[in-house]
Amino acid sequence: MDGLAPDFGQWLRKQRRQAGLSLRRLSAEVGLHFAYLSQLERGVATPSEPVIRRLAAFFGDPQPDRLVLSAGRVPETLRQALSQAPEQAQQALQPLVNGTSLLSPSTASRELALAAWRITARRNPRLAIAAPALLAPGPALHERVSPSESPGVTGELSRMFLTSRPTGERERSQTSDGVKDTDGVEWLVVPGMRVQTSGLGAAVGTRPEAVVDGDLDTFYWSERAPQAGDFIALDLGAEYPVAGVQLFMGSFTGEYARPADYVYSGIVQLSRDGRSWLTVGRLVGLPEGEWRFTTLPARYIRLLVTADQVYWVQIREIRLLCPAGSSPQRPVWLCLDAARQAIARARATLAAARRQFTPLDEERVTRLLQQANVAVRQAQSLYQRASERPGLDTTDQNQARDQDVRKAAGQALVWARQAQRWAMESRPVEVRAVWVDRSALLAGPQRLCQLLDRLAYVGVNCLFGEVLSRGAAAFASDIAPPDQQMKERWGELDPLAFLLDQGTRRGMKVVPWIWVLCAGYDYEEGPLLAAHPEWADQAVDGAIVAPPPSGTAWLNPVLPEVHAFFQALATELWSRYGTADLHLDYLRYHEESIAAYGYAARARQTFEASGSTDFDAWRQEAVTSLLRSIAHVVRKRGGQLSAAVWPDPVAAQQEVHQDWLAWLGEGADLAHSNPTDQHPLLDYVVTTNYTADLEEFQHRIEAAAAATQGGRVLQGIASALLTPDELLQEVAAAAGSGALGVCLYSASTLGKGSLEALGEGPFRSPALSPLAEPAESIRTLAQKWLNQWNDRVRQGFVPEPLLPRLESDVRQLASALATLLQANGPAADQAVRSQQAVAATMADFANKLEDELTVLPGKGLSKKAQAACRRLAHDARFLSNVANWMGGR
């Protein structure tokens, strides 16, 4: 049945009206978007079985099976009974005919029901609501808290009378600083405010502190759907008068746009002691709202969830209102504070660059810092002058002065950021890659060209184009099913051919990026599994689609048919587009801690036949075996093969059975018949090091670096979740680790601020890519290193006892460099040997110098000389990594 049977829609409308609920109120109670409920009632959407059972349970309907059938669905248990024992169909159907139920509401998994609701709304474009006006909920629902909602409320607070004003009863003006009302209410700005959640976590690197940073473009995202009793709370540090609360939830643009991710059923509460709470507002199913009330003293403010819901939660900002003149700081203080913090970061970056002998234009950086200091002092003076005359100046005078503060602080911020970026090293050789995701391709050819122009302008030299994802191909394939959305957007044009052509024209290496074992997404199995359902892997409970939060479907890696599919796909990419390079994603199992996969019937049979007793090791080998099949095709064509991997190699093995350390060092050279000619299965890996926590990011880098002596690693960075300053910190940390470079996720979410930061900072100078120009990269690094060595010796920074031990390595490097400079024609084989010699020589040099640095400080070596030697060792290690990568191919 394509549409919704009228009976179900009529039933839902009748139940809702009898309960006296509006669509918005029902939405808040059950955690489902009101627009979707309206579609159900009107018969223009078909609910899943878990949705029907949830609604039946909410309204207390005793016969949920009949509702499932009325909506054109066959109850799952009945479907299984019919498929397993068709001859007993009559007996299975009889209970339904008699009005009894085969199933109880508890049969359906609550978590799967929540997931189905959440994704049903997201798939429907009519639910992608536009961001509403800043303030549009109408009269606020202010009420006293009931004992059932908060038993700890004190009698004193509960007796306080809370008033509400319809929006139309006041005049409002919105400034870039926030709320300014003619009735004397303004934004409460409290430095040092703390944010806490009830164990909601923070998804993919977001931070709870983003809800009070004054920026509506940043957000906090929970890592699960909230349940009744969950909260996010603000601690002001002391009591302040609070007269209102503004709440901004959901996001509407970018890769992580989730217009339906907000709290549907909840209350806004205040407290003086963190124990007794007073409700001042109730959510009414909208992503944004404001509640006004008589001024109350409060130190704590919280958003308390009152019912389980299906969506996760994104909160962009929680703003507090107070009587005019009672905020400890005016909103423009946020601009001033941002400028001061930027100056502090620039100073720290400059100091670190000096300590680490980072090449930089110190005169320019110093001049920019001086200009920033002058501007911020001017802004501080203007701000202080206004603070010393509270209430004496007119509103226009205060606004004009604040505008001057904002202008001066803004200029200081610009100069400070430029100073910090120019104090960062811009390496002459490194991979600067970006994942060109499906969303970027779906933007179409014109916008893709504009994006590529921006990426080329800031120095990006490598692109991974997402051309097979969710079990569908974004290119003209005879092997994989087509991505229908991509076909509709691009028409007769081929996205991959277009990307290869336009990227190459701009000097960027373009590598096709394909999903391997993940074939379905967002609780859909995807077209590949629809065409080949026998290829599906299964979880331990028999499920094909994984439970929340992922909702993914997976291929069975042990099947010869799956191996043949990806071999044919790699062959097709080479024959049709002339590119043998390939970048693999989801070359792994599903996360073990969420849902253990590998239990499809043919997988179990293969494991039992293998004689293995270690299921985890067997699954690791199953993934590696599939990689061998793909590598066989890629190597024959001389292509480079890479894969996105979990950043911690130990966690990768344990959680997703991905043994990527072995992939970097295991396997015979499949391009030649000589079995003794060893060649790694992968040329390099790209870690998915996605976190906004710099300390955690560095910890993962160290784990990967300690395990991969060859350094054939690109550090993947979730640029979409980082501020420009945080992005620069992670790029610098990756460079300091000796990685070949970085890869940013993703092209569709790289904003103007991030691109400017990269273009002025670590990407400001063009860089050779070791992936595209390996020989020239080694020559450039070797010559640069020899010049640096000579400078340090001339400056007296290399201690005399070390010179005889190290100079032999330097002579070997100079000899190898001379060979590399003559690498054309007959000298090619000798050049390859020279590259391997460079790798070994520089690794040996770095080891010697690092060993000596552990004992030399006690022998009177100055701190500056120590820093100079550490820089020599670091650059020698990076040169060794690049040469090792090329020599190992």
Side-chain angles (χ1 to χ4, degrees):
M1 181 178 288
D2 294 329
L4 177 64
D7 290 350
F8 182 80
Q10 293 171 6
W11 171 86
L12 179 57
R13 183 180 292 107
K14 179 181 178 181
Q15 296 295 320
R16 178 177 61 79
R17 289 178 175 175
Q18 286 180 348
L21 298 173
S22 66
L23 282 170
R24 291 185 185 277
R25 190 65 224 165
L26 177 59
S27 167
E29 293 292 340
V30 299
L32 184 63
H33 201 282
F34 62 85
Y36 180 53
L37 291 171
S38 174
Q39 290 174 357
L40 295 182
E41 289 190 0
R42 291 181 286 114
V44 296
T46 303
S48 65
E49 181 180 341
V51 168
I52 298 167
R53 294 191 180 281
R54 175 78 175 219
L55 288 169
F58 178 79
F59 288 113
D61 191 288
Q63 297 181 348
D65 290 334
R66 288 195 171 196
L67 291 175
V68 174
L69 291 170
S70 75
R73 303 284 189 185
V74 179
E76 181 61 27
T77 299
L78 177 58
R79 183 185 294 117
Q80 292 181 6
L82 293 174
S83 63
Q84 294 169 3
E87 69 282 357
Q88 299 177 8
Q90 286 281 34
Q91 293 88 334
L93 286 169
Q94 195 60 44
L96 292 176
V97 176
N98 295 337
T100 59
S101 177
L102 286 171
L103 304 172
S104 68
S106 62
T107 302
S109 164
R110 174 181 172 280
E111 292 300 322
L112 288 177
L114 297 181
W117 281 26
R118 177 168 172 250
I119 209 58
T120 298
R122 285 188 184 169
R123 284 203 304 265
N124 194 318
R126 281 172 289 190
L127 298 185
I129 58 175
L134 178 66
L135 202 67
L141 300 178
H142 303 154
E143 54 193 65
R144 297 185 185 88
V145 66
S146 69
S148 63
E149 290 171 331
S150 183
V153 172
T154 63
E156 176 187 2
L157 284 178
S158 64
R159 287 193 297 271
M160 292 183 179
F161 179 70
L162 305 179
T163 63
S164 63
R165 301 182 193 168
T167 304
E169 291 186 7
R170 61 179 179 269
E171 296 179 4
R172 301 177 44 79
S173 66
Q174 185 68 22
T175 72
S176 60
D177 287 331
V179 177
K180 279 285 185 182
D181 288 351
T182 57
D183 58 0
V185 178
E186 65 182 12
W187 186 0
L188 177 61
V189 178
V190 180
M193 192 185 309
R194 291 180 293 177
V195 185
Q196 180 185 5
T197 75
S198 56
L200 285 169
V204 284
T206 62
R207 304 160 303 283
E209 291 74 20
V211 306
V212 293
D213 65 358
D215 186 351
L216 288 173
D217 291 331
T218 62
F219 59 88
Y220 159 69
W221 195 5
S222 66
E223 63 180 359
R224 62 173 174 84
Q227 300 176 346
D230 277 325
F231 64 83
I232 182 166
L234 312 182
D235 179 359
L236 306 183
E239 284 191 5
Y240 292 94
V242 180
V245 179
Q246 290 183 333
L247 184 60
F248 305 87
M249 298 182 290
S251 60
F252 308 93
T253 59
E255 174 76 9
Y256 296 103
R258 294 293 187 272
D261 273 18
Y262 59 88
V263 177
Y264 285 74
S265 182
I267 52 179
V268 179
Q269 297 183 312
L270 305 183
S271 174
R272 303 178 73 171
D273 57 9
R275 296 186 297 274
S276 301
W277 295 88
L278 177 67
T279 295
V280 294
R282 182 180 295 277
L283 276 66
V284 292
L286 290 171
E288 301 189 2
E290 182 189 81
W291 298 267
R292 295 288 189 93
F293 38 84
T294 300
T295 302
L296 297 169
R299 172 175 173 172
Y300 304 95
I301 297 89
R302 75 178 179 185
L303 169 60
L304 178 68
V305 180
T306 55
D308 295 0
Q309 70 178 58
V310 300
Y311 299 106
W312 296 9
V313 174
Q314 288 183 344
I315 302 179
R316 288 178 285 133
E317 199 75 12
I318 300 175
R319 289 182 178 172
L320 309 180
L321 307 180
C322 66
S326 57
S327 175
Q329 302 290 349
R330 303 196 307 283
V332 76
W333 176 88
L334 292 169
C335 300
L336 185 58
D337 187 58
R340 287 194 292 246
Q341 290 186 34
I343 291 173
R345 286 193 297 270
R347 287 172 174 164
T349 303
L350 176 59
R354 287 168 171 165
R355 289 194 304 270
Q356 297 163 8
F357 279 79
T358 300
L360 74 152
D361 185 344
E362 188 162 344
E363 182 181 348
R364 180 170 189 163
V365 174
T366 303
R367 184 175 66 253
L368 287 167
L369 265 176
Q370 290 172 344
Q371 292 171 329
N373 281 319
V374 171
V376 83
R377 284 195 296 268
Q378 179 186 5
Q380 177 67 47
S381 176
L382 291 168
Y383 182 83
Q384 190 64 33
R385 196 179 312 161
S387 300
E388 292 170 353
R389 297 171 56 85
L392 299 181
D393 293 336
T394 66
T395 299
D396 289 343
Q397 287 174 321
N398 286 330
Q399 289 180 349
R401 187 173 287 119
D402 280 355
Q403 184 64 31
D404 291 339
V405 173
R406 189 180 305 108
K407 182 177 179 180
Q411 185 60 70
L413 181 64
V414 169
W415 283 327
R417 284 175 172 169
Q418 289 178 348
Q420 180 191 10
R421 294 163 187 176
W422 277 88
M424 299 181 70
E425 182 175 8
S426 185
R427 299 197 292 181
V429 173
E430 68 178 351
V431 180
R432 300 170 181 173
V434 172
W435 276 297
V436 181
D437 52 321
R438 181 173 179 267
S439 296
L441 295 177
L442 280 174
Q446 182 177 355
R447 291 183 61 185
L448 180 60
C449 278
Q450 294 170 351
L451 171 64
L452 295 181
D453 285 338
R454 293 194 295 271
L455 296 179
Y457 181 76
V458 300
V460 170
N461 56 28
C462 182
L463 305 174
F464 296 110
E466 189 174 23
V467 296
L468 180 77
S469 64
R470 307 164 189 246
F475 62 95
S477 176
D478 297 328
I479 308 299
D483 186 323
Q484 293 297 339
Q485 282 185 283
M486 204 70 70
K487 287 184 67 176
E488 293 171 7
R489 187 70 183 86
W490 282 77
E492 297 301 316
L493 282 175
D494 184 320
L496 176 54
F498 187 88
L499 181 62
L500 285 164
D501 175 62
Q502 295 297 321
T504 303
R505 289 186 184 189
R506 291 164 174 81
M508 294 183 281
K509 181 181 178 68
V510 179
V511 182
W513 158 29
I514 66 171
W515 293 17
V516 183
L517 290 173
C518 181
Y521 202 71
D522 278 352
Y523 304 93
E524 292 182 345
E525 295 180 13
L528 183 59
L529 280 178
H532 301 283
E534 71 279 8
W535 292 4
D537 200 358
Q538 292 181 356
V540 66
D541 62 358
I544 292 175
V545 176
S550 55
T552 47
W554 297 77
L555 299 175
N556 186 345
V558 305
L559 300 182
E561 305 95 302
V562 172
H563 288 229
F565 170 79
F566 285 106
Q567 285 185 314
L569 194 71
T571 300
E572 181 181 51
L573 287 168
W574 174 80
S575 60
R576 182 162 293 177
Y577 301 97
T579 175
D581 296 341
L582 200 58
H583 179 62
L584 309 177
D585 202 356
Y586 289 105
L587 186 63
R588 60 177 178 85
Y589 278 88
H590 188 273
E591 292 88 336
E592 185 82 6
S593 60
I594 298 175
Y597 272 71
Y599 294 89
R602 290 177 66 183
R604 293 199 305 269
Q605 293 166 4
T606 305
F607 172 66
E608 291 166 2
S610 71
S612 174
T613 58
D614 188 335
F615 190 48
D616 287 347
W618 178 83
R619 283 185 289 183
Q620 283 183 23
E621 175 55 29
V623 177
T624 300
S625 177
L626 175 57
L627 174 58
R628 281 195 204 97
S629 296
I630 300 171
H632 178 77
V633 176
V634 174
R635 295 299 183 216
K636 283 198 301 185
R637 270 74 184 189
Q640 295 175 10
L641 187 60
S642 62
V645 299
W646 275 37
D648 187 322
V650 176
Q653 287 181 325
Q654 296 173 347
E655 182 70 357
V656 295
H657 314 299
Q658 184 184 66
D659 191 10
W660 61 262
L661 289 179
W663 302 348
L664 287 174
E666 179 248 11
D669 188 343
L670 301 174
H672 303 86
S673 59
N674 183 359
T676 62
D677 189 3
Q678 295 298 305
H679 195 292
L681 289 177
L682 290 180
D683 291 291
Y684 57 95
V685 296
V686 188
T687 66
T688 52
N689 199 350
Y690 298 164
T691 176
D693 185 329
L694 182 60
E695 184 176 345
E696 176 63 20
F697 183 82
Q698 291 173 320
H699 172 74
R700 293 172 179 174
I701 283 178
E702 291 166 3
T708 56
Q709 298 302 318
R712 289 179 285 128
V713 176
L714 302 183
Q715 290 293 336
I717 297 174
S719 54
L721 303 172
L722 305 174
T723 65
D725 289 329
E726 290 169 338
L727 175 59
L728 293 183
Q729 287 181 316
E730 294 199 355
V731 170
S737 72
L740 291 178
V742 296
C743 186
L744 309 179
Y745 185 84
S746 62
S748 68
T749 58
L750 266 172
K752 180 181 178 182
S754 293
L755 288 172
E756 287 180 351
L758 292 169
E760 291 179 347
F763 290 6
R764 66 178 175 274
S765 300
L768 292 167
S769 169
L771 305 183
E773 301 173 278
E776 186 60 30
S777 296
I778 296 171
R779 293 181 190 129
T780 300
L781 288 174
Q783 188 62 66
K784 180 175 179 289
W785 191 90
L786 287 169
N787 293 338
Q788 181 187 168
W789 166 264
N790 291 330
D791 287 343
R792 300 300 176 259
V793 171
R794 186 168 53 252
Q795 294 163 348
F797 290 143
V798 181
E800 192 64 37
L802 267 179
L803 277 174
R805 293 189 58 197
L806 300 177
E807 282 184 329
S808 61
D809 292 332
V810 176
R811 285 194 297 272
Q812 291 180 41
L813 176 62
S815 175
L817 177 59
T819 302
L820 289 169
L821 292 173
Q822 303 170 359
N824 298 322
D829 290 341
Q830 188 178 359
V832 171
R833 289 192 294 272
S834 294
Q835 290 159 1
Q836 295 169 329
V838 167
T841 298
M842 288 294 93
D844 185 52
F845 178 95
N847 290 335
K848 288 178 184 176
L849 192 49
E850 287 165 355
D851 289 343
E852 291 292 342
L853 285 171
T854 62
V855 297
L856 281 174
K859 298 180 180 180
L861 190 65
S862 71
K863 289 184 178 180
K864 194 167 185 178
Q866 293 176 48
C869 289
R870 287 195 181 93
R871 179 69 196 216
L872 282 167
H874 174 272
D875 290 353
R877 183 78 66 191
F878 182 62
L879 174 53
S880 174
N881 289 345
V882 174
N884 178 68
W885 176 81
M886 182 56 189
R889 292 204 72 248

